[in-house]
Amino acid sequence: MQAVLLVGGLGTRLRPLTYSRPKPLLPLLNRPMVSYLLDLLPDSVDEVIVPVSYMSRRMRDYFNSLHDGRNYVVVHEVEPLGTGGALANVSDHLTDDFLVFNGDIVSSIDIKSLIDFHREKEGVGTIALWDVENPEAFGIVQLDEDDRITLFKEKPRGSEIVSHKANAGIYVLNESVLDDIPAEKVVSLEREVFPVQVREGLFGFGFEGYWVDCGTTENFLSASGMLMDYFGTDVSKEALLGKNVKEEHPIVIGQGSKVSGGHIGPRVCLGKDVEVKGASLSESVIMDSTTIGKDVTVTSSIIGVHCVVPDKCVIERSVIADDYELEKGEKVMDRKVGMR
Ligand code: GDD
Ligand code: MG
């Protein structure tokens, strides 16, 4: 069976972090976000098709570096064609029924059960569903008693919010769906294809466990915290934590990182080779090779790779771009530093 990974978006809502890397390669608990999707694939998936546009060389290098026995076919999209256009662009590679994943999803969904459900229902497509509190950022569906989708509405507003069952961005689609997507133009699966395919027979598959879209800086941070809550503390054997460091679990610390004093946690992820001299860190992600000085406070923030945060800085609810050097004692509150 084949799977398509929709990983070609620009990742604008994750700027400034996506200026220097494509969204699927952002490190989530120290490994690329997209690797969580690959973990979900059952053995029956032997080929993965990846239409890429933004930073396609980086994406190609990543998929070429994988040696897990699957065949990865990376197809360049000259211009981003939207979620539907991207599928049409790789349609020559696709046969039978196939899986589709939005590239910014982290979830515990059991894909084998999704495939079984799809084949049992015999529709043209099955959409995985997750209940959300605020559906405005998602596509929503209405279901009949047989789990058949009777309505699909992308990014509903006001009175359009008739359900809290959101499209989880994971589908099984039959090849026939591709016939209804025009080639070589920008097409949205969610706005233009699903609302029409409802007539042909789309089904909704709910599941338990966890699901999160990591497409914004806020969601990325909460996904990081959620995964730590779920999987617990993970401190590399090759990390050094000083005796006086106060730990509040869960925390994740990458190889070669060194924390000599202060308070770390809860829900703090340090990348590789991070150096923390003496700081209070909570609910934050600090990426590889960043240096944090003494008397620093970092709360609910993301700091990119190779940054320098000197003594007495305070960073709250903020995002700092890669390679950024703050001034001593600088205060950064509710800001994205390094936006272009
Ligand atoms: N190849 C390619 N080309 N991929 C694209 C393009 C494109 O032009 N545009 C977007 N993508 C990829 C993105 O990289 C992302 O992985 C996925 O398609 C979905 O795009 P997002 O921009 O993240 O959409 P969203 O989060 O606003 O909404 C989507 O996901 C929600 C679930 O998280 C929709 O599918 C909603 O219906 C859904 O509820
Ligand atoms: Mg998204």
Side-chain angles (χ1 to χ4, degrees):
M1 191 177 192
Q2 295 167 303
V4 181
L5 305 184
L6 294 173
V7 289
L10 299 174
T12 49
R13 290 166 294 179
L14 274 161
R15 286 177 181 163
L17 302 167
T18 43
Y19 287 134
S20 35
R21 60 175 83 65
K23 165 163 85 169
L25 300 187
L26 254 183
L28 184 59
L29 302 200
N30 297 334
R31 61 186 178 100
M33 196 193 277
V34 71
S35 68
Y36 291 84
L37 285 183
L38 302 179
D39 287 351
L40 294 177
L41 299 178
D43 289 345
S44 57
V45 174
D46 51 5
E47 186 162 76
V48 180
I49 317 279
V50 199
V52 293
S53 48
Y54 182 60
M55 293 199 179
S56 41
R57 187 174 311 159
R58 290 279 296 273
M59 295 297 290
R60 197 179 288 276
D61 288 349
Y62 172 72
F63 286 104
N64 286 342
S65 75
L66 301 175
H67 299 287
D68 55 10
R70 291 198 174 92
N71 189 27
Y72 288 93
V73 182
V74 179
V75 182
H76 185 63
E77 216 173 288
V78 180
E79 270 176 64
L81 292 168
T83 47
L87 271 189
N89 196 38
V90 298
S91 60
D92 287 351
H93 295 273
L94 295 169
T95 48
D96 301 329
D97 49 9
F98 54 90
L99 290 156
V100 180
F101 292 86
N102 282 353
D104 52 0
I105 300 301
V106 174
S107 169
S108 61
I109 185 172
D110 177 35
I111 297 296
K112 264 174 117 183
S113 312
L114 172 75
I115 298 168
D116 290 346
F117 175 95
H118 174 73
R119 292 182 178 161
E120 198 181 297
K121 294 290 184 187
E122 297 184 326
V124 295
T126 298
I127 296 179
L129 303 175
W130 185 257
D131 287 334
V132 294
E133 233 163 82
N134 181 4
E136 288 195 359
F138 305 103
I140 52 160
V141 306
Q142 273 187 316
L143 292 179
D144 72 10
E145 58 288 352
D146 188 34
D147 297 320
R148 192 181 167 119
I149 295 174
T150 53
L151 173 129
F152 188 102
K153 178 71 195 163
E154 183 67 9
K155 309 278 171 359
R157 291 284 175 273
S159 61
E160 293 169 341
I161 303 179
V162 290
S163 146
H164 287 250
K165 293 201 176 307
N167 166 20
I170 302 172
Y171 325 117
V172 187
L173 300 179
N174 288 1
E175 212 182 340
S176 67
V177 172
L178 298 169
D179 300 339
D180 292 333
I181 310 178
E184 291 171 39
K185 60 180 273 208
V186 178
V187 183
S188 158
L189 261 186
E190 299 86 343
R191 292 180 195 278
E192 295 162 75
V193 181
F194 291 153
V196 177
Q197 290 291 322
V198 160
R199 278 183 246 133
E200 310 294 324
L202 289 178
F203 287 84
F205 173 83
F207 60 96
E208 311 244 296
Y210 58 82
W211 176 88
V212 60
D213 172 320
C214 308
T216 66
T217 49
E218 293 79 7
N219 291 352
F220 176 79
L221 201 50
S222 40
S224 167
M226 181 206 73
L227 288 171
M228 275 187 249
D229 282 340
Y230 215 84
F231 295 107
T233 289
D234 179 13
V235 177
S236 162
K237 287 195 189 81
E238 289 157 67
L240 281 176
L241 271 177
K243 269 199 214 115
N244 301 329
V245 178
K246 276 199 192 146
E247 295 170 39
E248 206 176 326
H249 293 239
I251 52 175
V252 169
I253 304 186
Q255 189 189 332
S257 285
K258 199 171 133 196
V259 184
S260 12
H263 182 126
I264 177 166
R267 289 177 280 278
V268 168
C269 174
L270 303 186
K272 284 188 209 150
D273 301 317
V274 172
E275 190 177 352
V276 181
K277 291 187 180 133
S280 175
L281 313 174
S282 65
E283 312 282 351
S284 294
V285 174
I286 294 160
M287 295 184 191
D288 297 356
S289 308
T290 279
T291 309
I292 311 255
K294 287 187 181 147
D295 293 327
V296 169
T297 303
V298 182
T299 314
S300 304
S301 296
I302 308 171
I303 304 179
V305 301
H306 294 286
C307 288
V308 179
V309 182
D311 296 354
K312 299 192 188 318
C313 282
V314 178
I315 304 172
E316 283 179 15
R317 297 172 302 275
S318 293
V319 183
I320 316 275
D322 292 339
D323 300 304
Y324 209 88
E325 196 168 334
L326 294 178
E327 304 278 329
K328 188 176 172 186
E330 199 170 332
K331 292 194 173 27
V332 183
M333 308 282 184
D334 302 295
R335 262 170 58 203
K336 291 186 177 177
V337 177
M339 292 295 280
R340 294 174 201 156

